[in-house]
Amino acid sequence: MPAPVAESCPPITIIDTVVGRRPGGHQADYLAALEDALGPMASESFAPFRNGANTALLTSRWRRLEYLLSRFRALAARSSADGRAILILPNPDFVDFVAAFLAVRLRLRAPAAVFLFVLRRGASGIVGRSGWKSTALEKIVRRLARRGHLHPVSDSRSALSFWEGLTGVPGSLVTIPVRERPADIPPKAEGEAVRFGLVGLFRPEKGAAFYSRVIDAALDLPGPAQIDVQLPDTAADDSFPEAAALRLAHRNTDAVRFLNGHLDNDAFTRLVSGIDVLVLPYDIESYGTGTSGIMHEVLPLGGCVVTTRFTWAVDEFADDSRVLWLDSLDPGHLREKLSEARQIAESARKAANRAHTPSPETFREGWLSAIDRATSS
């Protein structure tokens, strides 16, 4: 059990500039889980673009930087007796780091604030590529950490190790939040179609190029199957031709169901709860140290996963018998692993062994521990 956060804990503010600004992903779900976990401890949750707000700020990084800088400085001023405030950024991007650095530098009095950045990848993964931005990001993080203004948090052991090594600051590993299986979804019966899931909005780093191959291999297996495929909202028009082609190829295939865009929390919970076999044909080189929230959620709900060997998955689940590793995306090897996963799913039904959901308190306790460490250092 983590040490309780002291009553004198500085005021806590959650800041998220990604939710509502970038389509897809489940950053909104993470933000909601964090808000629920911290509850009244968080004096404010600041998500300027949620629900379509502040759209005028989306057109210019400089306007967003100016806006965030003024906000960060105002939040840092709401300090406790020791002059500190806790600012949690669950989905930071490059502009957030720059604004935090400038807010600290321009507010000459220190200590002003401690930023708890959730860092799921290395610098190049956060900004999208290696180059001047990734180099600048590393320098910003080092300087903030050196002055006691940054505490790294991650749900990836490999990513956390990278940032701890870069900064010399011990960070906090906080698990990805899990969902509870809805009570009105009954356990699946023997003989019912095995449900395969391709969830990832058809993004290249998540193996979009291999979706068609996965679908063909799953349909080729003996026994009934249902394949849920999540595509972006643009999949129906010419702006996303590959996804549109996939939809067209299976327009008359009853066993294939296409889901459009980012799902709301209830719809996504039901999707995750119904998946027997999650398939993650991730591109290892481009995905890097990225985490997989969907993998973390499907396994506790009793599903199994067929995946390439990306870093986070190997670190977390190397010895889990319900994770089957793809050594290649060759059609024959893929079919072999999907067949093995189907057998695991069918055996799980016979054993009535679908739900192993850990307590949602694990996520809350992890964050309380992180806050305690950040305020104690």
Side-chain angles (χ1 to χ4, degrees):
M1 295 291 289
V5 178
E7 293 183 3
S8 59
C9 174
I12 299 170
T13 302
I14 301 170
I15 304 163
D16 193 310
T17 65
V18 169
V19 170
R21 182 165 59 87
R22 293 181 185 170
H26 293 279
Q27 297 95 340
D29 297 337
Y30 191 99
L31 175 61
L34 182 58
E35 290 170 336
D36 289 342
L38 297 184
M41 291 178 56
S43 57
E44 182 178 359
S45 184
F46 171 55
F49 306 113
R50 183 161 48 185
N51 302 321
N54 293 305
T55 53
L57 295 173
L58 301 181
T59 58
S60 169
R61 289 189 180 93
W62 292 109
R63 291 187 64 189
R64 199 166 82 245
L65 176 61
E66 181 181 15
Y67 183 60
L68 288 173
L69 179 57
S70 64
R71 175 65 66 160
F72 282 178
R73 294 183 68 187
L75 292 172
R78 302 178 188 176
S79 56
S80 61
D82 68 355
R84 309 194 100 185
I86 292 289
L87 308 179
I88 299 175
L89 289 90
N91 298 298
D93 72 358
F94 183 70
V95 173
D96 295 331
F97 288 96
V98 174
F101 177 72
L102 291 177
V104 169
R105 287 296 299 270
L106 296 176
R107 181 185 167 77
L108 303 174
R109 183 170 62 86
V114 180
F115 291 87
L116 279 73
F117 286 100
V118 179
L119 304 166
R120 298 184 176 91
R121 300 172 183 242
S124 60
I126 291 174
V127 301
R129 62 187 180 278
S130 297
W132 71 267
K133 288 179 72 175
S134 61
T135 301
L137 177 56
E138 290 183 359
K139 290 182 178 179
I140 287 172
V141 170
R142 275 199 301 265
R143 291 186 181 183
L144 286 173
R146 190 181 305 143
R147 291 167 172 78
H149 293 294
L150 184 142
H151 181 79
V153 179
S154 186
D155 41 40
S156 167
R157 286 186 175 87
S158 57
L160 186 62
S161 295
F162 170 83
W163 290 108
E164 288 178 331
L166 184 76
T167 63
V169 175
S172 296
L173 186 71
V174 179
T175 184
I176 296 171
V178 297
R179 298 168 193 272
E180 296 186 82
R181 184 182 179 86
D184 62 342
I185 297 182
K188 287 191 175 182
E190 292 184 49
E192 190 176 344
V194 172
R195 180 171 291 178
F196 294 83
L198 280 166
V199 182
L201 289 172
F202 207 71
R203 285 159 54 183
E205 72 274 16
K206 294 193 174 183
F210 298 97
Y211 274 28
S212 181
R213 187 176 296 181
V214 171
I215 293 172
D216 291 343
L219 291 175
D220 190 47
L221 298 174
Q226 172 76 45
I227 305 168
D228 291 332
V229 185
Q230 187 184 24
L231 297 179
D233 288 326
T234 54
D237 60 41
D238 293 337
S239 62
F240 219 110
E242 297 88 353
L246 186 68
R247 183 190 297 279
L248 181 64
H250 295 282
R251 66 188 185 281
N252 296 321
T253 308
D254 293 337
V256 179
R257 181 178 67 148
F258 292 103
L259 309 168
N260 292 325
H262 177 71
L263 305 177
D264 64 34
N265 187 58
D266 180 68
F268 190 73
T269 298
R270 292 180 177 280
L271 171 65
V272 171
S273 299
I275 290 176
D276 295 297
V277 180
L278 176 68
V279 188
L280 303 176
Y282 287 0
D283 180 83
I284 301 172
E285 192 170 317
S286 61
Y287 203 76
T289 58
T291 61
S292 175
I294 182 70
M295 181 176 182
H296 184 83
E297 296 193 76
V298 164
L299 287 169
L301 289 166
C304 62
V305 178
V306 177
T307 180
T308 47
R309 296 178 185 270
F310 65 102
T311 304
W312 174 82
V314 173
D315 288 346
E316 295 291 328
F317 302 108
D319 300 322
D320 195 317
S321 61
R322 294 167 300 151
V323 178
L324 305 179
W325 304 101
L326 290 168
D327 296 314
S328 78
L329 288 165
D330 174 79
H333 182 66
L334 181 60
R335 187 183 187 282
E336 176 189 340
K337 291 299 179 180
L338 292 182
S339 177
E340 187 178 342
R342 183 184 177 101
Q343 293 174 21
I344 292 174
E346 290 172 340
S347 298
R349 291 182 187 178
K350 292 178 182 179
N353 188 26
R354 287 259 331 151
H356 312 279
T357 310
S359 169
E361 280 296 302
T362 303
F363 179 67
R364 179 176 182 273
E365 290 168 1
W367 268 106
L368 292 182
S369 177
I371 293 169
D372 188 69
R373 294 184 70 182
T375 55
S376 300
S377 58

